[in-house]
Amino acid sequence: MCPLLSPASPAGKWLGFVTAIWVQAICGNNYTFSNYSDALKSIMALTQLELNTLSVAKDVGKAFGLLSGIASDRWSTSVILLIGSFEGLIGYGVQWLVVSQRIHPLPYWQMCIFLCLGGNSTTWMNTAVLVTCMRNFPKNRGPVSGILKGYVGLSTAIFTDICTALFNSNPSAFLLILAIVPAIICLAAILFLRETTSAAGPIEEKEEARFFNNFNAIAIIAAAYLLAFDITGNHGHVVSLVFVAGLIFLLASPLFVPLYSVLLKLTSNSDTEQQIKEPLLVGPEDSPAKPQKPEPATTVSVEVENAGIKQRPMIGEDHTIIEMIRTYDFWILFISFLCGVGTGMCVMNNLGQMGLALGYIDVSIFVSLTSIWGFFGRIISGLVSEQLLWKFGTPRPLWNAASQVLMTLGYVIMALALPGSLYIGSILVGICYGVRLTITVAVASELFGLKYYGLLYNILILNLPLGSFLFSGLLAGYLYDAQAARSPAGGGNTCVGPHCYFLVFLIMALACVIGFWLDVLLAIRTKKVYSKIYTDRKFSPASTVA
């Protein structure tokens, strides 16, 4: 391997980030259930409650993400990625065998296990990527979480549109892609993604910010490209092939950033060789003496007084998991997160049936819209929240509060079931779901530190299976079946009409109102933390470098 591209080199560090982007671009497979749920329902003759329970089993896999969080502090990034790729291959591979009817439908409890495996696979991939990149770029947590979570948001649209273009939305082909492609991408990431040293000074920090802007621009172009394909209707075979080729190029284009870094390094080395004028060896007597600042007596006395006594960390410092869950701020963040992502998971898991209830035959457009606009929510919130924090010290939780307002509006619009309401609702829910995931990832690291971040992240992600169980498995499942019992079809059941999900949407809107007030409360309680972050950055050397 070229020394300039080794994982320990600056260019290798960026190449590792590119592979992290690719891993995130396939980590949204857990949100694609609506693309093949109707096929599962038909083949296994399930009721809506049974189908929703399967979707909950998929999300329960994320509850076992605690294992990946614990492992992230003990094992290398490569091992964690390898475990995730293997689980995904098995979990989605078995679902493909069932949907393609290469094997007879497995017993219901066995299908729950394999869906759980598929869901758990993404926790290992996400943990490996987020923990490694947040530690590699600690001064740019907002852009890092925005870009990485943005590609997770795009991944559902990437899978959906490629399958639509090449296989005419065939659910069997879709599951085969979900099984094979993530395993291949993870194996590629194993070669380059690992923890390295963070930026050494203000010049490197500003270079990082510039490179992240390039990644953002590439991601936005990719999102616009996917959106254009979705809103232009049906396409011929040739146009579809051209679209797939263009999409692959856009997904590969982040490679230009580390290549540029290599060229920059080569140019810098060439200039340095010509400009060296100082002696290579400097004796101790030639080094300028650095006066040592005496330690204040008060500090020494306090340290002696507190020797042997473990002080509870302040919010903004590194917390152990036990210390974290003892704080009010953690539980406010946890419950508000549940209100946002739990209701969002309900929509994503039920989009297939929601579309059919309102008379749409092909619901893939709604899956793609949720994914693409979720990307915009992630990328914009990560970038703009970072800028506002740098310039004004704006607390990040306020972004979560704003997303809850829009999410409430989205659920009310979908409950009204007016013409086009599912399009508008899918867009609003996608945007807000993306904002919640991105902002909460950054907020958690800023309030509780990066030392135990892998486990902390996966504790917060427990909201996905919990929210899926409460809002999708119980609420949507029972209320849908109560309406569908009047018009059974075959071995399962079907509900047609706006009444099918009316009450579900209203209850989820109420949950988002509760989440809004919790986010406002968290913003007030953590105002001092963000004021300190703002002050530290404003008067740091990096802020004065041109």
Side-chain angles (χ1 to χ4, degrees):
M1 182 184 294
C2 173
L4 289 175
L5 290 177
S6 68
S9 69
K13 179 179 179 180
W14 288 111
L15 185 56
F17 187 74
V18 171
T19 60
I21 286 175
W22 291 344
V23 171
Q24 294 290 264
I26 50 89
C27 272
N29 49 14
N30 205 43
Y31 300 120
T32 61
F33 185 71
S34 293
N35 282 324
Y36 59 90
S37 61
D38 202 49
L40 276 177
K41 185 177 182 180
S42 175
I43 290 171
M44 299 181 66
L46 304 175
T47 65
Q48 186 62 31
L49 180 59
E50 290 171 332
L51 182 67
N52 281 8
T53 303
L54 272 184
S55 73
V56 172
K58 160 185 69 70
D59 297 325
V60 164
K62 291 185 177 293
F64 295 100
L66 291 174
L67 299 176
S68 64
I70 295 172
S72 68
D73 293 326
R74 293 168 172 79
W75 297 344
S76 68
T77 303
S78 301
V79 173
I80 297 172
L81 284 171
L82 191 62
I83 293 172
S85 63
F86 180 74
E87 278 194 334
L89 185 63
I90 298 299
Y92 288 104
V94 171
Q95 293 178 64
W96 167 71
L97 291 173
V98 171
V99 171
S100 64
Q101 300 187 33
R102 283 170 169 77
I103 62 175
H104 291 293
L106 299 176
Y108 187 78
W109 67 271
Q110 291 183 18
M111 287 299 295
C112 287
I113 291 175
F114 286 112
L115 265 80
C116 184
L117 271 178
N120 183 246
S121 67
T122 60
T123 66
W124 293 86
M125 301 175 196
N126 279 324
T127 299
V129 164
L130 281 171
V131 172
T132 304
C133 291
M134 292 290 258
R135 289 173 178 170
N136 287 350
F137 305 99
K139 299 294 185 180
N140 287 281
R141 300 181 197 184
V144 167
S145 62
I147 293 168
L148 294 180
K149 284 299 179 182
Y151 273 96
V152 174
L154 277 186
S155 64
T156 305
I158 291 170
F159 281 126
T160 301
D161 288 352
I162 287 179
C163 187
T164 300
L166 298 181
F167 307 109
N168 199 26
S169 300
N170 183 287
S172 173
F174 189 83
L175 281 166
L176 184 60
I177 292 175
L178 293 185
I180 295 176
V181 172
I184 295 173
I185 296 297
C186 284
L187 291 177
I190 284 172
L191 299 175
F192 299 101
L193 183 60
R194 61 200 64 185
E195 287 189 29
T196 60
T197 55
S198 58
I203 296 178
E204 287 188 24
E205 288 175 17
K206 293 188 79 67
E207 184 181 68
E208 281 185 3
R210 187 172 71 253
F211 283 178
F212 283 128
N213 288 336
N214 294 332
F215 284 120
N216 277 321
I218 294 170
I220 290 171
I221 293 171
Y225 184 75
L226 286 164
L227 184 60
F229 180 79
D230 286 333
I231 64 177
T232 49
N234 296 325
H235 308 86
H237 181 66
V238 175
V239 174
S240 296
L241 290 178
V242 171
F243 161 77
V244 172
L247 180 58
I248 291 174
F249 172 78
L250 285 173
L251 292 175
S253 57
L255 278 172
F256 290 123
V257 174
L259 289 178
Y260 172 76
S261 178
V262 170
L263 294 175
L264 199 64
K265 184 69 175 177
L266 290 173
T267 305
S268 175
N269 288 342
S270 176
D271 293 341
T272 302
E273 289 174 2
Q274 296 176 11
Q275 297 175 10
I276 290 179
K277 296 181 180 179
E278 296 181 3
L280 296 178
L281 298 176
V282 179
E285 66 278 2
D286 298 325
S287 301
K290 293 183 179 179
Q292 293 186 350
K293 193 174 182 179
E295 189 172 2
T298 54
T299 304
V300 176
S301 63
V302 170
E303 289 182 356
V304 172
E305 181 180 345
N306 292 333
I309 302 176
K310 182 174 176 58
Q311 301 295 313
R312 178 177 294 183
M314 302 290 290
I315 293 297
E317 299 174 348
D318 284 326
H319 284 61
T320 66
I321 300 305
I322 298 300
E323 290 168 343
M324 179 188 69
I325 63 177
R326 287 179 176 175
T327 65
Y328 290 114
D329 301 285
F330 168 77
W331 290 109
I332 295 172
L333 180 64
F334 187 88
I335 297 173
S336 72
F337 193 45
L338 173 64
C339 294
V341 300
T343 57
M345 285 298 298
C346 177
V347 171
M348 294 177 188
N349 288 338
N350 289 273
L351 264 178
Q353 285 64 48
M354 289 175 180
L356 292 174
L358 294 179
Y360 296 97
I361 298 175
D362 184 9
V363 297
S364 61
I365 179 64
F366 301 115
V367 178
S368 290
L369 285 175
T370 304
S371 173
I372 293 170
W373 287 98
F375 159 81
F376 285 116
R378 297 169 198 238
I379 206 86
I380 292 173
S381 64
L383 186 62
V384 179
S385 70
E386 191 78 8
Q387 292 297 318
L388 292 179
L389 178 56
W390 274 69
K391 292 183 177 180
F392 308 109
T394 306
R396 266 194 239 266
L398 287 178
W399 282 81
N400 280 341
S403 73
Q404 296 282 29
V405 174
L406 282 180
M407 216 169 204
T408 302
L409 179 62
Y411 293 140
V412 172
I413 290 173
M414 287 193 282
L416 296 175
L418 299 173
S421 62
L422 197 54
Y423 287 96
I424 299 173
S426 298
I427 291 171
L428 290 178
V429 171
I431 291 173
C432 299
Y433 189 86
V435 171
R436 287 236 54 128
L437 283 177
T438 298
I439 295 299
T440 303
V441 164
V443 168
S445 70
E446 288 161 345
L447 298 188
F448 306 111
L450 288 172
K451 188 174 182 180
Y452 303 99
Y453 184 71
L455 188 54
L456 161 60
Y457 169 76
N458 283 284
I459 289 176
L460 286 173
I461 292 302
L462 286 174
N463 275 297
L464 297 184
L466 179 59
S468 180
F469 171 72
L470 293 175
F471 294 104
S472 183
L474 291 182
L475 179 67
Y478 277 116
L479 293 181
Y480 181 97
D481 281 345
Q483 301 291 338
R486 303 171 187 173
S487 55
N493 57 17
T494 303
C495 180
V496 178
H499 63 283
C500 300
Y501 286 97
F502 176 78
L503 191 55
V504 175
F505 289 134
L506 290 186
I507 293 174
M508 293 196 300
L510 178 60
C512 287
V513 172
I514 296 172
F516 165 78
W517 288 111
L518 289 173
D519 287 322
V520 171
L521 176 61
L522 185 63
I524 295 172
R525 288 178 59 88
T526 60
K527 186 177 180 180
K528 290 183 179 179
V529 174
Y530 286 98
S531 178
K532 182 178 185 302
I533 294 174
Y534 165 71
T535 302
D536 291 344
R537 289 181 175 181
K538 184 177 180 180
F539 297 103
S540 68
S543 63
T544 61
V545 175

